[in-house]
Amino acid sequence: MDKYKKFSELKKHEEKGKDYIIQYRYVDSEIAVMAPHGGGIEPGTTDLADEIAGKDFLFYSFSGIKSRGNSVLHLSSTSFDEPAALEMAGKAVTAITLHGCRDRDDIIYAGGKNLELRHAISERLAGAGFNIKTSQETRLRGKCDHNICNRCRCGKGIQLEISMGLRQKMFDCNNCFSAAKRTEAFYKFVSTIRELLLSAHKQYHISPGRM
């Protein structure tokens, strides 16, 4: 159960710059890559989103920076209403949100309403050797219209839930998630997603009528 139901509540009790930071980067793109539970909330997701976005896609992260207890900063994806996130999602044709789930197995759960892009991402990741599935848990399926991944212009985004087991293998140290310790698994995941998005951007001209 989340401590806060909406960002305005969180903002009253948590201090920006001390408890959390908000990062975003605008570029000429119609795809947003977002980590709404970044930093210490769901470790590794900010790094992944930032690296996937690079200089080609819009980037956003809400990151917990407490020395401990960052889980109190978690706002559910269906209630995530931080203004900068809503603005960015609203400018993008489609949004991809990266999350971390607690599974210890190496697994990625693909969700969101953008079925065409979700299928393409799943195929690419499976081809790269990742174990990717569709969860039966509602919270991991990303189907709600109010989910931040679906608050994009076409109303259909992507939610990728990456297990703790896999995220730990993306960083060569136990639970430190240091940028200096990124592994081959980290870069393989990033490059697989980036290559697909760059291809979709150039070949399919992502627009509300296509994806």
Side-chain angles (χ1 to χ4, degrees), residues 2 4-7 10 37 73-77 80-81:
D2 291 337
Y4 305 114
K5 301 301 182 185
K6 53 187 178 180
F7 180 72
L10 184 152
H37 305 139
L73 301 169
H74 185 281
L75 291 172
S76 74
S77 296
F80 197 87
D81 60 351

Side-chain angles (χ1 to χ4, degrees), residues 68-89:
R68 60 181 179 178
N70 283 283
S71 60
V72 300
L73 301 169
H74 185 281
L75 291 172
S76 74
S77 296
T78 54
S79 302
F80 197 87
D81 60 351
E82 192 283 309
L86 293 179
E87 180 179 358
M88 176 167 286

